Amino acid sequence: DAKTTQPPSMDCAEGRAANLPCNHSTISGNEYVYWYRQIHSQGPQYIIHGLKNNETNEMASLIITEDRKSSTLILPHATLRDTAVYYCIVRVGNTDKLIFGTGTRLQVFP
Amino acid sequence: DSGVTQTPKHLITATGQRVTLRCSPRSGDLSVYWYQQSLDQGLQFLIQYYNGEERAKGNILERFSAQQFPDLHSELNLSSLELGDSALYFCASSADGYEQYFGPGTRLTVT
């Protein structure tokens, strides 16, 4: 079973920041938080991952709370092409399989 | 473009048949993963190979098998196909296991 809880859907206006929450209250100390997205029926796309520090790359920022029980993926300037299902996944480093839950369907509107 | 290729894109076959799905990982990636995405089960991990050897197994049926060849490409064999095997099958590859790069998938329809 997936170890994360995400809202089923969210909307965001184009050009605004999209903040996608994820609850992972049972996360262990050696488990990372990963985010992937799937646009329509394409292959999932890696976005970002982190352990306890906030992370940023060219696609997004990942904010992890100090107790690590929740995190937020931030797309700073959402575009229509960011419309997708976003999956928050916890896993032990690089040694465990990816377990996808149901994700959050983000709809970016003009 | 993730750099992972999968063939064929679409496959339509009848129940009871056997098919082979092929995956070419990104150049240099030693790990290959197979996932199945169906409407009722979502995305599920099937199996992982690392440099030719099976590394991890997920919810893979006994009718399904996979292998990774010396050139690192991988094949997923599905036999005695049932209607419920209709799904999208994704292959992913990784160099270090942290970031998995997914291919475009093979859509299998069993009639």
Side-chain angles (χ1 to χ4, degrees), chain A residues 32 34 36 38 41-46 49 87 91 93-101, chain B residues 33 35 37 43-45 48 57-58 88 90 96-105 107:
Chain A
Y32 285 69
Y34 284 77
Y36 281 76
Q38 188 175 25
S41 293
Q42 297 176 23
Q45 179 186 22
Y46 166 83
H49 75 276
Y87 296 97
R91 74 196 274 246
N94 65 345
T95 61
D96 204 358
K97 55 187 175 288
L98 291 173
I99 300 177
F100 289 84
Chain B
Y33 309 77
Y35 292 82
Q37 186 171 33
L43 262 163
Q44 290 206 17
F45 168 76
Q48 177 199 356
K57 234 175 182 176
L88 269 167
F90 291 106
D96 60 6
Y98 285 100
E99 303 168 25
Q100 292 184 23
Y101 294 89
F102 284 75
R107 183 177 293 278

mmCIF file of all heavy atoms in Angstrom, chain A residues 32 34 36 38 41-46 49 87 91 93-101, chain B residues 33 35 37 43-45 48 57-58 88 90 96-105 107:
data_model
loop_
_atom_site.group_PDB
_atom_site.id
_atom_site.type_symbol
_atom_site.label_atom_id
_atom_site.label_comp_id
_atom_site.label_asym_id
_atom_site.label_seq_id
_atom_site.Cartn_x
_atom_site.Cartn_y
_atom_site.Cartn_z
ATOM 1 N N TYR A 32 13.167 8.406 1.629
ATOM 2 C CA TYR A 32 13.168 9.628 0.862
ATOM 3 C C TYR A 32 11.749 9.931 0.385
ATOM 4 O O TYR A 32 10.928 9.022 0.210
ATOM 5 C CB TYR A 32 14.068 9.487 -0.362
ATOM 6 C CG TYR A 32 15.547 9.526 -0.078
ATOM 7 C CD1 TYR A 32 16.174 8.486 0.600
ATOM 8 C CD2 TYR A 32 16.325 10.596 -0.517
ATOM 9 C CE1 TYR A 32 17.535 8.511 0.837
ATOM 10 C CE2 TYR A 32 17.695 10.625 -0.284
ATOM 11 C CZ TYR A 32 18.285 9.582 0.396
ATOM 12 O OH TYR A 32 19.643 9.610 0.626
ATOM 13 N N TYR A 34 9.832 11.248 -2.893
ATOM 14 C CA TYR A 34 9.984 11.425 -4.334
ATOM 15 C C TYR A 34 8.694 12.001 -4.925
ATOM 16 O O TYR A 34 7.608 11.715 -4.444
ATOM 17 C CB TYR A 34 10.223 10.076 -5.032
ATOM 18 C CG TYR A 34 11.601 9.507 -4.878
ATOM 19 C CD1 TYR A 34 12.010 8.894 -3.704
ATOM 20 C CD2 TYR A 34 12.498 9.554 -5.946
ATOM 21 C CE1 TYR A 34 13.277 8.352 -3.579
ATOM 22 C CE2 TYR A 34 13.768 9.015 -5.831
ATOM 23 C CZ TYR A 34 14.149 8.416 -4.639
ATOM 24 O OH TYR A 34 15.411 7.885 -4.527
ATOM 25 N N TYR A 36 6.848 12.296 -8.776
ATOM 26 C CA TYR A 36 6.777 12.025 -10.202
ATOM 27 C C TYR A 36 5.473 12.600 -10.726
ATOM 28 O O TYR A 36 4.547 12.845 -9.954
ATOM 29 C CB TYR A 36 6.778 10.510 -10.495
ATOM 30 C CG TYR A 36 8.129 9.846 -10.423
ATOM 31 C CD1 TYR A 36 8.721 9.565 -9.198
ATOM 32 C CD2 TYR A 36 8.809 9.507 -11.588
ATOM 33 C CE1 TYR A 36 9.972 8.963 -9.142
ATOM 34 C CE2 TYR A 36 10.049 8.891 -11.546
ATOM 35 C CZ TYR A 36 10.630 8.626 -10.315
ATOM 36 O OH TYR A 36 11.865 8.028 -10.266
ATOM 37 N N GLN A 38 2.617 12.279 -14.250
ATOM 38 C CA GLN A 38 2.244 11.573 -15.451
ATOM 39 C C GLN A 38 1.271 12.443 -16.232
ATOM 40 O O GLN A 38 0.177 12.759 -15.742
ATOM 41 C CB GLN A 38 1.621 10.212 -15.136
ATOM 42 C CG GLN A 38 1.386 9.370 -16.377
ATOM 43 C CD GLN A 38 0.888 7.975 -16.045
ATOM 44 O OE1 GLN A 38 0.299 7.732 -15.001
ATOM 45 N NE2 GLN A 38 1.130 7.024 -16.956
ATOM 46 N N SER A 41 -1.405 9.717 -20.684
ATOM 47 C CA SER A 41 -0.974 8.319 -20.565
ATOM 48 C C SER A 41 0.494 8.143 -20.926
ATOM 49 O O SER A 41 0.930 7.043 -21.266
ATOM 50 C CB SER A 41 -1.834 7.442 -21.467
ATOM 51 O OG SER A 41 -3.151 7.405 -21.008
ATOM 52 N N GLN A 42 1.252 9.230 -20.807
ATOM 53 C CA GLN A 42 2.683 9.117 -21.072
ATOM 54 C C GLN A 42 3.377 8.419 -19.900
ATOM 55 O O GLN A 42 2.768 8.226 -18.843
ATOM 56 C CB GLN A 42 3.294 10.506 -21.269
ATOM 57 C CG GLN A 42 2.740 11.254 -22.457
ATOM 58 C CD GLN A 42 3.304 12.671 -22.555
ATOM 59 O OE1 GLN A 42 4.389 12.950 -22.028
ATOM 60 N NE2 GLN A 42 2.596 13.545 -23.216
ATOM 61 N N GLY A 43 4.632 8.069 -20.068
ATOM 62 C CA GLY A 43 5.382 7.491 -18.976
ATOM 63 C C GLY A 43 5.575 8.493 -17.856
ATOM 64 O O GLY A 43 5.731 9.694 -18.120
ATOM 65 N N PRO A 44 5.543 8.055 -16.617
ATOM 66 C CA PRO A 44 5.792 8.983 -15.503
ATOM 67 C C PRO A 44 7.129 9.684 -15.661
ATOM 68 O O PRO A 44 8.082 9.128 -16.209
ATOM 69 C CB PRO A 44 5.777 8.053 -14.274
ATOM 70 C CG PRO A 44 4.924 6.894 -14.680
ATOM 71 C CD PRO A 44 5.213 6.701 -16.133
ATOM 72 N N GLN A 45 7.171 10.919 -15.165
ATOM 73 C CA GLN A 45 8.358 11.754 -15.284
ATOM 74 C C GLN A 45 8.874 12.091 -13.898
ATOM 75 O O GLN A 45 8.108 12.592 -13.058
ATOM 76 C CB GLN A 45 8.029 13.034 -16.055
ATOM 77 C CG GLN A 45 9.187 13.983 -16.225
ATOM 78 C CD GLN A 45 8.765 15.298 -16.867
ATOM 79 O OE1 GLN A 45 7.602 15.689 -16.825
ATOM 80 N NE2 GLN A 45 9.719 15.999 -17.463
ATOM 81 N N TYR A 46 10.139 11.823 -13.651
ATOM 82 C CA TYR A 46 10.755 12.187 -12.379
ATOM 83 C C TYR A 46 10.782 13.700 -12.237
ATOM 84 O O TYR A 46 11.093 14.427 -13.197
ATOM 85 C CB TYR A 46 12.176 11.630 -12.310
ATOM 86 C CG TYR A 46 13.027 12.201 -11.198
ATOM 87 C CD1 TYR A 46 12.938 11.683 -9.907
ATOM 88 C CD2 TYR A 46 13.887 13.259 -11.431
ATOM 89 C CE1 TYR A 46 13.710 12.208 -8.878
ATOM 90 C CE2 TYR A 46 14.650 13.795 -10.418
ATOM 91 C CZ TYR A 46 14.561 13.266 -9.143
ATOM 92 O OH TYR A 46 15.314 13.800 -8.129
ATOM 93 N N HIS A 49 13.452 14.718 -5.594
ATOM 94 C CA HIS A 49 13.376 13.920 -4.387
ATOM 95 C C HIS A 49 14.206 14.563 -3.294
ATOM 96 O O HIS A 49 15.098 15.392 -3.566
ATOM 97 C CB HIS A 49 13.823 12.463 -4.634
ATOM 98 C CG HIS A 49 15.306 12.254 -4.774
ATOM 99 N ND1 HIS A 49 15.967 12.440 -5.962
ATOM 100 C CD2 HIS A 49 16.233 11.859 -3.878
ATOM 101 C CE1 HIS A 49 17.242 12.161 -5.814
ATOM 102 N NE2 HIS A 49 17.445 11.804 -4.541
ATOM 103 N N TYR A 87 2.408 12.331 -8.381
ATOM 104 C CA TYR A 87 2.524 11.264 -7.399
ATOM 105 C C TYR A 87 3.619 11.583 -6.386
ATOM 106 O O TYR A 87 4.744 11.915 -6.760
ATOM 107 C CB TYR A 87 2.889 9.941 -8.084
ATOM 108 C CG TYR A 87 1.862 9.409 -9.047
ATOM 109 C CD1 TYR A 87 1.985 9.650 -10.419
ATOM 110 C CD2 TYR A 87 0.781 8.658 -8.601
ATOM 111 C CE1 TYR A 87 1.063 9.137 -11.315
ATOM 112 C CE2 TYR A 87 -0.151 8.145 -9.494
ATOM 113 C CZ TYR A 87 -0.004 8.393 -10.842
ATOM 114 O OH TYR A 87 -0.937 7.880 -11.724
ATOM 115 N N ARG A 91 10.249 6.134 -0.308
ATOM 116 C CA ARG A 91 10.973 4.885 -0.504
ATOM 117 C C ARG A 91 12.310 4.963 0.191
ATOM 118 O O ARG A 91 12.839 6.056 0.451
ATOM 119 C CB ARG A 91 11.150 4.573 -1.989
ATOM 120 C CG ARG A 91 12.158 5.400 -2.725
ATOM 121 C CD ARG A 91 12.002 5.290 -4.218
ATOM 122 N NE ARG A 91 12.693 4.162 -4.809
ATOM 123 C CZ ARG A 91 13.726 4.284 -5.642
ATOM 124 N NH1 ARG A 91 14.198 5.476 -5.946
ATOM 125 N NH2 ARG A 91 14.298 3.220 -6.180
ATOM 126 N N GLY A 93 15.817 5.189 0.134
ATOM 127 C CA GLY A 93 16.947 5.510 -0.724
ATOM 128 C C GLY A 93 16.720 5.134 -2.156
ATOM 129 O O GLY A 93 15.730 5.491 -2.770
ATOM 130 N N ASN A 94 17.646 4.378 -2.707
ATOM 131 C CA ASN A 94 17.550 3.936 -4.097
ATOM 132 C C ASN A 94 17.357 2.437 -4.171
ATOM 133 O O ASN A 94 17.548 1.831 -5.219
ATOM 134 C CB ASN A 94 18.807 4.339 -4.868
ATOM 135 C CG ASN A 94 20.036 3.632 -4.339
ATOM 136 O OD1 ASN A 94 20.027 3.058 -3.244
ATOM 137 N ND2 ASN A 94 21.113 3.663 -5.086
ATOM 138 N N THR A 95 16.971 1.837 -3.040
ATOM 139 C CA THR A 95 16.968 0.377 -2.990
ATOM 140 C C THR A 95 15.581 -0.239 -3.067
ATOM 141 O O THR A 95 15.457 -1.447 -3.083
ATOM 142 C CB THR A 95 17.617 -0.110 -1.686
ATOM 143 O OG1 THR A 95 16.841 0.390 -0.586
ATOM 144 C CG2 THR A 95 19.036 0.389 -1.563
ATOM 145 N N ASP A 96 14.576 0.575 -3.079
ATOM 146 C CA ASP A 96 13.227 0.028 -3.028
ATOM 147 C C ASP A 96 12.471 0.387 -4.296
ATOM 148 O O ASP A 96 12.804 1.341 -4.991
ATOM 149 C CB ASP A 96 12.490 0.568 -1.815
ATOM 150 C CG ASP A 96 11.376 -0.359 -1.374
ATOM 151 O OD1 ASP A 96 11.172 -1.385 -2.038
ATOM 152 O OD2 ASP A 96 10.699 -0.039 -0.391
ATOM 153 N N LYS A 97 11.438 -0.394 -4.572
ATOM 154 C CA LYS A 97 10.639 -0.128 -5.751
ATOM 155 C C LYS A 97 9.797 1.135 -5.520
ATOM 156 O O LYS A 97 9.563 1.550 -4.398
ATOM 157 C CB LYS A 97 9.718 -1.303 -6.039
ATOM 158 C CG LYS A 97 8.821 -1.684 -4.862
ATOM 159 C CD LYS A 97 8.072 -2.954 -5.164
ATOM 160 C CE LYS A 97 7.254 -3.420 -3.961
ATOM 161 N NZ LYS A 97 8.079 -3.959 -2.884
ATOM 162 N N LEU A 98 9.321 1.717 -6.599
ATOM 163 C CA LEU A 98 8.403 2.850 -6.507
ATOM 164 C C LEU A 98 6.997 2.305 -6.316
ATOM 165 O O LEU A 98 6.549 1.474 -7.100
ATOM 166 C CB LEU A 98 8.470 3.690 -7.772
ATOM 167 C CG LEU A 98 9.759 4.484 -8.019
ATOM 168 C CD1 LEU A 98 9.718 5.122 -9.395
ATOM 169 C CD2 LEU A 98 9.955 5.543 -6.955
ATOM 170 N N ILE A 99 6.311 2.748 -5.294
ATOM 171 C CA ILE A 99 4.918 2.372 -5.067
ATOM 172 C C ILE A 99 4.072 3.608 -5.319
ATOM 173 O O ILE A 99 4.113 4.571 -4.549
ATOM 174 C CB ILE A 99 4.691 1.841 -3.641
ATOM 175 C CG1 ILE A 99 5.558 0.613 -3.386
ATOM 176 C CG2 ILE A 99 3.214 1.506 -3.439
ATOM 177 C CD1 ILE A 99 5.450 0.069 -1.982
ATOM 178 N N PHE A 100 3.331 3.563 -6.406
ATOM 179 C CA PHE A 100 2.500 4.701 -6.796
ATOM 180 C C PHE A 100 1.132 4.592 -6.134
ATOM 181 O O PHE A 100 0.510 3.550 -6.158
ATOM 182 C CB PHE A 100 2.313 4.731 -8.313
ATOM 183 C CG PHE A 100 3.547 5.112 -9.082
ATOM 184 C CD1 PHE A 100 4.500 4.150 -9.402
ATOM 185 C CD2 PHE A 100 3.760 6.412 -9.494
ATOM 186 C CE1 PHE A 100 5.641 4.495 -10.113
ATOM 187 C CE2 PHE A 100 4.889 6.761 -10.208
ATOM 188 C CZ PHE A 100 5.840 5.806 -10.513
ATOM 189 N N GLY A 101 0.675 5.707 -5.556
ATOM 190 C CA GLY A 101 -0.692 5.766 -5.064
ATOM 191 C C GLY A 101 -1.600 6.304 -6.157
ATOM 192 O O GLY A 101 -1.331 6.105 -7.345
ATOM 193 N N TYR B 33 13.434 -1.448 -14.983
ATOM 194 C CA TYR B 33 12.240 -1.751 -14.194
ATOM 195 C C TYR B 33 11.055 -1.901 -15.144
ATOM 196 O O TYR B 33 10.961 -1.178 -16.125
ATOM 197 C CB TYR B 33 11.926 -0.612 -13.216
ATOM 198 C CG TYR B 33 13.069 -0.148 -12.343
ATOM 199 C CD1 TYR B 33 14.060 0.671 -12.866
ATOM 200 C CD2 TYR B 33 13.141 -0.501 -11.001
ATOM 201 C CE1 TYR B 33 15.110 1.118 -12.073
ATOM 202 C CE2 TYR B 33 14.188 -0.047 -10.200
ATOM 203 C CZ TYR B 33 15.163 0.756 -10.746
ATOM 204 O OH TYR B 33 16.200 1.210 -9.955
ATOM 205 N N TYR B 35 6.762 -1.817 -15.154
ATOM 206 C CA TYR B 35 5.556 -1.449 -14.423
ATOM 207 C C TYR B 35 4.344 -1.726 -15.317
ATOM 208 O O TYR B 35 4.419 -1.637 -16.536
ATOM 209 C CB TYR B 35 5.549 0.036 -14.061
ATOM 210 C CG TYR B 35 6.579 0.448 -13.036
ATOM 211 C CD1 TYR B 35 7.897 0.703 -13.407
ATOM 212 C CD2 TYR B 35 6.228 0.591 -11.697
ATOM 213 C CE1 TYR B 35 8.842 1.087 -12.464
ATOM 214 C CE2 TYR B 35 7.162 0.980 -10.745
ATOM 215 C CZ TYR B 35 8.477 1.223 -11.140
ATOM 216 O OH TYR B 35 9.402 1.608 -10.198
ATOM 217 N N GLN B 37 0.271 -0.525 -15.785
ATOM 218 C CA GLN B 37 -0.765 0.439 -15.401
ATOM 219 C C GLN B 37 -2.090 0.028 -16.012
ATOM 220 O O GLN B 37 -2.293 0.109 -17.220
ATOM 221 C CB GLN B 37 -0.398 1.855 -15.836
ATOM 222 C CG GLN B 37 -1.392 2.904 -15.333
ATOM 223 C CD GLN B 37 -0.924 4.313 -15.582
ATOM 224 O OE1 GLN B 37 -0.250 4.592 -16.567
ATOM 225 N NE2 GLN B 37 -1.251 5.221 -14.670
ATOM 226 N N LEU B 43 -0.674 2.210 -11.241
ATOM 227 C CA LEU B 43 0.693 1.861 -11.639
ATOM 228 C C LEU B 43 1.276 0.878 -10.638
ATOM 229 O O LEU B 43 1.391 1.191 -9.458
ATOM 230 C CB LEU B 43 1.569 3.114 -11.663
ATOM 231 C CG LEU B 43 1.787 3.786 -12.983
ATOM 232 C CD1 LEU B 43 2.300 5.194 -12.784
ATOM 233 C CD2 LEU B 43 2.780 3.000 -13.828
ATOM 234 N N GLN B 44 1.682 -0.301 -11.128
ATOM 235 C CA GLN B 44 2.221 -1.315 -10.230
ATOM 236 C C GLN B 44 3.579 -1.793 -10.716
ATOM 237 O O GLN B 44 3.753 -2.085 -11.898
ATOM 238 C CB GLN B 44 1.279 -2.507 -10.157
ATOM 239 C CG GLN B 44 -0.015 -2.211 -9.436
ATOM 240 C CD GLN B 44 -0.611 -3.475 -8.829
ATOM 241 O OE1 GLN B 44 0.049 -4.491 -8.669
ATOM 242 N NE2 GLN B 44 -1.865 -3.404 -8.487
ATOM 243 N N PHE B 45 4.511 -1.905 -9.781
ATOM 244 C CA PHE B 45 5.840 -2.408 -10.082
ATOM 245 C C PHE B 45 5.775 -3.911 -10.340
ATOM 246 O O PHE B 45 5.124 -4.650 -9.597
ATOM 247 C CB PHE B 45 6.762 -2.118 -8.896
ATOM 248 C CG PHE B 45 8.089 -2.832 -8.942
ATOM 249 C CD1 PHE B 45 9.094 -2.396 -9.790
ATOM 250 C CD2 PHE B 45 8.320 -3.926 -8.132
ATOM 251 C CE1 PHE B 45 10.308 -3.043 -9.828
ATOM 252 C CE2 PHE B 45 9.532 -4.584 -8.153
ATOM 253 C CZ PHE B 45 10.536 -4.145 -9.004
ATOM 254 N N GLN B 48 12.457 -5.822 -11.451
ATOM 255 C CA GLN B 48 13.652 -5.031 -11.729
ATOM 256 C C GLN B 48 14.825 -5.939 -12.079
ATOM 257 O O GLN B 48 15.018 -6.981 -11.448
ATOM 258 C CB GLN B 48 14.053 -4.185 -10.521
ATOM 259 C CG GLN B 48 15.339 -3.395 -10.728
ATOM 260 C CD GLN B 48 15.999 -2.933 -9.438
ATOM 261 O OE1 GLN B 48 15.469 -3.139 -8.354
ATOM 262 N NE2 GLN B 48 17.158 -2.303 -9.546
ATOM 263 N N LYS B 57 11.381 -8.191 -7.184
ATOM 264 C CA LYS B 57 10.152 -8.657 -7.799
ATOM 265 C C LYS B 57 8.970 -8.015 -7.108
ATOM 266 O O LYS B 57 8.950 -7.887 -5.886
ATOM 267 C CB LYS B 57 10.060 -10.180 -7.648
ATOM 268 C CG LYS B 57 9.839 -10.931 -8.919
ATOM 269 C CD LYS B 57 9.900 -12.426 -8.666
ATOM 270 C CE LYS B 57 9.715 -13.169 -9.975
ATOM 271 N NZ LYS B 57 9.849 -14.606 -9.833
ATOM 272 N N GLY B 58 7.988 -7.638 -7.877
ATOM 273 C CA GLY B 58 6.774 -7.070 -7.322
ATOM 274 C C GLY B 58 5.604 -7.967 -7.615
ATOM 275 O O GLY B 58 5.684 -9.182 -7.509
ATOM 276 N N LEU B 88 -1.343 -0.617 -19.892
ATOM 277 C CA LEU B 88 -0.124 0.039 -20.366
ATOM 278 C C LEU B 88 1.042 -0.586 -19.617
ATOM 279 O O LEU B 88 0.995 -0.728 -18.390
ATOM 280 C CB LEU B 88 -0.166 1.530 -20.048
ATOM 281 C CG LEU B 88 -0.760 2.479 -21.079
ATOM 282 C CD1 LEU B 88 -0.994 3.846 -20.458
ATOM 283 C CD2 LEU B 88 0.138 2.583 -22.296
ATOM 284 N N PHE B 90 4.996 -0.083 -18.809
ATOM 285 C CA PHE B 90 6.096 0.876 -18.865
ATOM 286 C C PHE B 90 7.389 0.213 -18.435
ATOM 287 O O PHE B 90 7.432 -0.587 -17.511
ATOM 288 C CB PHE B 90 5.835 2.065 -17.940
ATOM 289 C CG PHE B 90 4.723 2.964 -18.376
ATOM 290 C CD1 PHE B 90 3.502 2.950 -17.724
ATOM 291 C CD2 PHE B 90 4.898 3.839 -19.442
ATOM 292 C CE1 PHE B 90 2.466 3.782 -18.110
ATOM 293 C CE2 PHE B 90 3.872 4.676 -19.844
ATOM 294 C CZ PHE B 90 2.653 4.639 -19.179
ATOM 295 N N ASP B 96 21.558 5.025 -11.059
ATOM 296 C CA ASP B 96 21.911 4.878 -9.648
ATOM 297 C C ASP B 96 20.739 4.476 -8.768
ATOM 298 O O ASP B 96 20.869 4.398 -7.557
ATOM 299 C CB ASP B 96 22.512 6.183 -9.118
ATOM 300 C CG ASP B 96 21.539 7.355 -9.242
ATOM 301 O OD1 ASP B 96 20.369 7.138 -9.626
ATOM 302 O OD2 ASP B 96 21.962 8.495 -8.968
ATOM 303 N N GLY B 97 19.579 4.265 -9.374
ATOM 304 C CA GLY B 97 18.414 3.845 -8.595
ATOM 305 C C GLY B 97 17.606 4.976 -8.023
ATOM 306 O O GLY B 97 16.467 4.781 -7.621
ATOM 307 N N TYR B 98 18.165 6.178 -7.967
ATOM 308 C CA TYR B 98 17.407 7.287 -7.391
ATOM 309 C C TYR B 98 16.380 7.827 -8.381
ATOM 310 O O TYR B 98 15.193 7.864 -8.098
ATOM 311 C CB TYR B 98 18.351 8.400 -6.950
ATOM 312 C CG TYR B 98 19.085 8.070 -5.668
ATOM 313 C CD1 TYR B 98 20.392 7.617 -5.693
ATOM 314 C CD2 TYR B 98 18.452 8.207 -4.439
ATOM 315 C CE1 TYR B 98 21.058 7.299 -4.517
ATOM 316 C CE2 TYR B 98 19.109 7.893 -3.260
ATOM 317 C CZ TYR B 98 20.409 7.442 -3.305
ATOM 318 O OH TYR B 98 21.059 7.131 -2.145
ATOM 319 N N GLU B 99 16.815 8.209 -9.540
ATOM 320 C CA GLU B 99 15.903 8.730 -10.556
ATOM 321 C C GLU B 99 15.629 7.640 -11.576
ATOM 322 O O GLU B 99 16.548 7.107 -12.186
ATOM 323 C CB GLU B 99 16.521 9.936 -11.250
ATOM 324 C CG GLU B 99 16.911 11.050 -10.294
ATOM 325 C CD GLU B 99 17.784 12.106 -10.955
ATOM 326 O OE1 GLU B 99 17.712 12.247 -12.195
ATOM 327 O OE2 GLU B 99 18.530 12.780 -10.246
ATOM 328 N N GLN B 100 14.370 7.313 -11.743
ATOM 329 C CA GLN B 100 13.981 6.347 -12.762
ATOM 330 C C GLN B 100 13.394 7.115 -13.937
ATOM 331 O O GLN B 100 12.524 7.974 -13.765
ATOM 332 C CB GLN B 100 12.954 5.356 -12.213
ATOM 333 C CG GLN B 100 13.527 4.426 -11.164
ATOM 334 C CD GLN B 100 12.529 3.377 -10.695
ATOM 335 O OE1 GLN B 100 11.583 3.041 -11.394
ATOM 336 N NE2 GLN B 100 12.754 2.853 -9.500
ATOM 337 N N TYR B 101 13.850 6.788 -15.120
ATOM 338 C CA TYR B 101 13.395 7.433 -16.340
ATOM 339 C C TYR B 101 12.521 6.444 -17.103
ATOM 340 O O TYR B 101 12.973 5.345 -17.435
ATOM 341 C CB TYR B 101 14.578 7.890 -17.189
ATOM 342 C CG TYR B 101 15.361 8.984 -16.509
ATOM 343 C CD1 TYR B 101 16.418 8.686 -15.651
ATOM 344 C CD2 TYR B 101 15.015 10.317 -16.691
ATOM 345 C CE1 TYR B 101 17.109 9.687 -14.991
ATOM 346 C CE2 TYR B 101 15.709 11.329 -16.038
ATOM 347 C CZ TYR B 101 16.749 11.005 -15.190
ATOM 348 O OH TYR B 101 17.433 11.996 -14.536
ATOM 349 N N PHE B 102 11.285 6.863 -17.359
ATOM 350 C CA PHE B 102 10.295 5.970 -17.945
ATOM 351 C C PHE B 102 10.218 6.136 -19.460
ATOM 352 O O PHE B 102 10.351 7.241 -19.988
ATOM 353 C CB PHE B 102 8.907 6.262 -17.352
ATOM 354 C CG PHE B 102 8.715 5.720 -15.968
ATOM 355 C CD1 PHE B 102 9.308 6.345 -14.883
ATOM 356 C CD2 PHE B 102 7.938 4.593 -15.753
ATOM 357 C CE1 PHE B 102 9.128 5.849 -13.598
ATOM 358 C CE2 PHE B 102 7.755 4.095 -14.476
ATOM 359 C CZ PHE B 102 8.353 4.719 -13.394
ATOM 360 N N GLY B 103 9.945 5.020 -20.117
ATOM 361 C CA GLY B 103 9.694 5.045 -21.539
ATOM 362 C C GLY B 103 8.253 5.435 -21.826
ATOM 363 O O GLY B 103 7.462 5.646 -20.901
ATOM 364 N N PRO B 104 7.892 5.509 -23.113
ATOM 365 C CA PRO B 104 6.544 5.943 -23.497
ATOM 366 C C PRO B 104 5.483 4.869 -23.304
ATOM 367 O O PRO B 104 4.289 5.166 -23.388
ATOM 368 C CB PRO B 104 6.701 6.287 -24.979
ATOM 369 C CG PRO B 104 7.831 5.421 -25.421
ATOM 370 C CD PRO B 104 8.762 5.305 -24.258
ATOM 371 N N GLY B 105 5.896 3.635 -23.041
ATOM 372 C CA GLY B 105 4.943 2.570 -22.768
ATOM 373 C C GLY B 105 4.507 1.783 -23.985
ATOM 374 O O GLY B 105 4.640 2.232 -25.131
ATOM 375 N N ARG B 107 0.985 -0.149 -25.145
ATOM 376 C CA ARG B 107 -0.418 -0.376 -24.804
ATOM 377 C C ARG B 107 -0.833 -1.738 -25.336
ATOM 378 O O ARG B 107 -0.838 -1.967 -26.541
ATOM 379 C CB ARG B 107 -1.317 0.705 -25.388
ATOM 380 C CG ARG B 107 -2.781 0.540 -24.976
ATOM 381 C CD ARG B 107 -3.649 1.676 -25.502
ATOM 382 N NE ARG B 107 -3.332 2.952 -24.880
ATOM 383 C CZ ARG B 107 -3.788 3.347 -23.700
ATOM 384 N NH1 ARG B 107 -4.590 2.558 -23.008
ATOM 385 N NH2 ARG B 107 -3.471 4.524 -23.219
#
